[in-house]
Amino acid sequence: MRLTLILVVLSFFFSSLVAQDHQWFYEIHEEYREASLEDRFFTHSDVEPLIVNLKDHPDFEVNLEGESVQGRSIYLVKWGSGPKKVYLWTQMHGNEPTATMAVADIFNFLASDENEEIKEELAEKVTLLFLPMVNPDGAEVYKRRNALDVDLNRDAQRLQSPESVILKDVRDRYNPDFGFNLHDQSLYYGAGFSGKPVAIAFLAPAYNQEREVNKQRLNAMKLIAQLNEIVQEYAPGKVAKFSDAFEPRAFGDNMQRWGTSTILIESGGYRDDPEKQYLRKLHFTILMSSFFSIADGDFKNYSREAYESIPANRISIFDLVIRNAEVELPEGTFVLDLGYRDHIVFGDGHVGSPEIGPRLVDVGDLSTFGAYTEYDASGFTLKQGEIWPEVFKSSEELANSIWAERLQEGYTYFRLDGPIPESLQRIMPFVVLGPEEERPEFPMLGKNAALLMEKQGEYRYIVANGRMHNLVLFR
Ligand SMILES: [Zn+2]
């Protein structure tokens, strides 16, 4: 009887930290959301006051570590005094801001006067070291590289940028147990062959060409296995594993090599979340869960196999895909899938791919690809639209014309003598041509044709500007 009581009491103590599980963090996130960061386009001047404010808080230590190439301050924010050191750096690529938002929310959680008991317990077990917005000059103009046009993630060896020196110097001073390398990736990554956009991608980077696994890397794999399980609850099937090809100049790979269990987290894409506010919430949830898992050693219950079973990160997502459309061409009739994207994809799939406007980027069997918007066009015939012969003198004149009626008659191209406002082009269910411009003929990769979808002799939809437009709406 007494023994049972002792066991119950003991298990209560041992489970008290674990009890703060991911669901709780997910639920409380809104309370601690830093309201001043409301979209992706904030800069150093928005983030700096949030950091400097922490100087007056007794639980935080804020050190000015140095300056970026253009003289913007980079700070180390320290919280807790436990033996397990956790180092997190965000936005070494200036246009990858999601984790910076999540870290600002974590600061709010840690700085609040609520949940004191839980935080005290955590602070005894871990020391958190945050280096937010490592590349403030890049963030200023929303670009990947720093003011020298150096990709900081290829500067871990040569250390020519002051930002890289700071990042490495903090690691060397504290020799952290865990490191979180926080990025955003292309919206066009999918999880394996599932066709699902990747919300969060992970990697335990390799520390050598052979991609060997030592204790540090194994611990990173185990923690990722746990985090995968968490994200699966909120974004089922939308987790992937980044390629572990060794990059000798990258920070993640070198951090792992220098002895810190390093975890790469990439925020990807999520339907109807262009400003990545839901991904920010997921980020908050998994980072907070990580701190508690590291504090308790909970990650050790997970396996390398569970990590290895996470599907590969693969460029396989479109903005729009139209499946099984019958296309009539002079050469015959073919059943084709059409994939459209608004942005170019760089070879390595990083973000910052320029937006070039909607284009047809793939044709054929796209069954292993997915999209943010999908349409099954089985039973529809896809046809080229006609050009309305009149040339409009201004976009206002075109907008005020009876173009909606013309659409029903099969005209999907309108001529305009003058500049075409991008906003007009983007939202309209037709394509605007110059006075002499040729119509893009289908099939033509890289082009934006305005195609009609016909069923039983009736035009039902127009595919133009990378969107599907229901003709009923224009009757
Ligand atoms: Zn990046």
Side-chain angles (χ1 to χ4, degrees):
M1 183 68 193
R2 245 175 112 180
L3 184 66
T4 315
L5 187 67
I6 289 167
L7 282 176
V8 167
V9 170
L10 272 179
S11 71
F12 173 77
F13 277 111
F14 283 117
S15 65
S16 56
L17 271 182
V18 182
Q20 304 312 326
D21 67 3
H22 58 87
Q23 267 160 1
W24 187 65
F25 294 120
Y26 184 86
E27 278 157 25
I28 63 167
H29 173 255
E30 216 42 50
E31 246 172 274
Y32 299 104
R33 192 176 179 282
E34 175 49 50
S36 68
L37 306 179
E38 50 191 12
D39 58 32
R40 290 172 294 153
F41 304 104
F42 54 86
T43 60
H44 184 257
S45 60
D46 300 306
V47 173
E48 191 177 26
L50 305 177
I51 296 171
V52 172
N53 273 346
L54 299 171
K55 280 184 178 174
D56 302 327
H57 196 291
D59 296 347
F60 286 88
E61 210 181 294
V62 179
N63 299 323
L64 176 62
E65 291 292 326
E67 290 180 345
S68 65
V69 173
Q70 293 178 338
R72 295 188 174 89
S73 305
I74 298 173
Y75 300 91
L76 178 67
V77 178
K78 202 174 150 189
W79 181 93
S81 54
K84 298 261 171 56
K85 297 191 199 83
V86 183
Y87 183 25
L88 307 96
W89 58 99
T90 78
Q91 220 169 339
M92 71 154 71
H93 292 139
N95 58 353
E96 301 180 12
T98 306
T100 304
M101 296 189 275
V103 162
D105 304 340
I106 291 172
F107 289 161
N108 287 347
F109 171 79
L110 296 175
S112 80
D113 48 19
E114 289 145 353
N115 308 301
E116 285 297 351
E117 223 172 292
I118 298 157
K119 286 189 283 190
E120 260 169 48
E121 213 178 324
L122 183 65
E124 280 169 21
K125 293 184 174 179
V126 301
T127 301
L128 303 179
L129 304 155
F130 299 91
L131 199 69
M133 199 183 261
V134 179
N135 179 7
D137 299 349
E140 198 67 19
V141 288
Y142 204 68
K143 70 168 187 177
R144 178 179 178 87
R145 293 167 182 250
N146 76 351
L148 302 173
D149 270 340
V150 167
D151 181 343
L152 295 178
N153 210 20
R154 299 292 177 267
D155 196 34
Q157 285 294 337
R158 195 169 285 186
L159 296 171
Q160 283 305 292
S161 297
E163 300 90 347
S164 314
V165 174
I166 292 167
L167 183 52
K168 167 87 160 52
D169 184 59
V170 172
R171 201 226 77 90
D172 289 350
R173 256 171 28 231
Y174 291 94
N175 195 21
D177 300 276
F178 278 87
F180 286 85
N181 186 14
L182 305 173
H183 292 252
D184 285 73
Q185 69 176 14
S186 168
L187 306 175
Y188 300 135
Y189 274 112
F193 290 97
S194 70
K196 287 186 178 178
V198 172
I200 301 281
F202 294 107
L203 175 69
Y207 56 87
N208 62 14
Q209 203 81 48
E210 294 70 35
R211 308 178 201 192
E212 288 174 294
V213 179
N214 60 6
K215 187 167 175 273
Q216 276 82 25
R217 192 171 177 215
L218 182 63
N219 280 342
M221 288 174 164
K222 288 179 171 181
L223 180 51
I224 290 171
Q226 182 179 15
L227 300 182
N228 171 46
E229 208 174 88
I230 294 171
V231 182
Q232 292 291 349
E233 290 201 25
Y234 306 104
K238 293 178 178 172
V239 184
K241 183 162 84 292
F242 214 89
S243 157
D244 73 345
F246 180 60
E247 168 50 75
R249 304 167 299 162
F251 264 98
D253 306 49
N254 279 290
M255 291 279 183
Q256 198 88 275
R257 192 169 67 82
W258 296 326
T260 293
S261 291
T262 303
I263 289 163
L264 169 77
I265 304 181
E266 301 265 0
S267 289
Y270 203 81
R271 186 170 284 142
D272 301 326
D273 187 25
E275 295 307 324
K276 298 205 172 194
Q277 297 304 304
Y278 184 65
L279 294 178
R280 165 190 191 167
K281 182 185 180 78
L282 288 185
H283 228 98
F284 174 88
T285 305
I286 54 181
L287 289 176
M288 288 306 308
S289 303
S290 298
F291 304 154
F292 284 85
S293 176
I294 291 167
D296 282 347
D298 201 21
F299 65 89
K300 290 176 188 156
N301 299 321
Y302 291 79
S303 69
R304 177 180 172 180
E305 289 67 35
Y307 168 81
E308 299 290 1
S309 72
I310 300 171
N313 211 28
R314 170 175 170 262
I315 291 287
S316 58
I317 302 297
F318 300 107
D319 288 305
L320 169 69
V321 73
I322 294 165
R323 302 194 190 279
N324 310 311
E326 223 171 69
V327 182
E328 280 178 6
L329 294 172
E331 297 82 357
T333 301
F334 307 90
V335 173
L336 301 172
D337 301 340
L338 311 181
Y340 290 83
R341 284 196 192 115
D342 293 354
H343 297 257
I344 290 178
V345 178
F346 286 140
D348 57 355
H350 61 66
V351 284
S353 322
E355 186 167 351
I356 52 154
R359 295 287 183 277
L360 180 66
V361 293
D362 208 349
V363 175
D365 176 0
L366 304 180
S367 56
T368 61
F369 288 68
Y372 291 99
T373 305
E374 300 211 12
Y375 191 82
D376 183 359
S378 298
F380 282 91
T381 306
L382 210 57
K383 290 187 166 165
Q384 177 66 285
E386 298 299 324
I387 307 173
W388 178 246
E390 191 180 348
V391 179
F392 294 96
K393 293 281 171 266
S394 68
S395 53
E396 289 76 22
E397 198 190 10
L398 169 56
N400 292 327
S401 74
I402 51 165
W403 56 264
E405 278 179 41
R406 302 294 174 218
L407 294 180
Q408 317 292 339
E409 298 160 8
Y411 294 98
T412 61
Y413 297 92
F414 294 85
R415 294 198 183 280
L416 177 63
D417 188 7
I420 305 164
E422 208 193 307
S423 54
L424 179 73
Q425 183 81 298
R426 182 50 58 90
I427 56 165
M428 295 317 255
F430 52 78
V431 166
V432 179
L433 300 173
E436 307 288 330
E437 200 180 334
E438 302 270 334
R439 161 182 84 171
E441 292 302 328
F442 181 82
M444 201 173 268
L445 287 179
K447 293 288 160 69
N448 175 25
L451 306 170
L452 288 154
M453 281 171 62
E454 187 198 68
K455 198 174 200 175
Q456 290 152 355
E458 202 186 319
Y459 299 135
R460 304 279 183 90
Y461 296 93
I462 291 177
V463 185
N465 304 310
R467 307 285 180 271
M468 291 269 305
H469 303 275
N470 190 336
L471 273 172
V472 170
L473 300 175
F474 302 106
R475 266 174 204 158

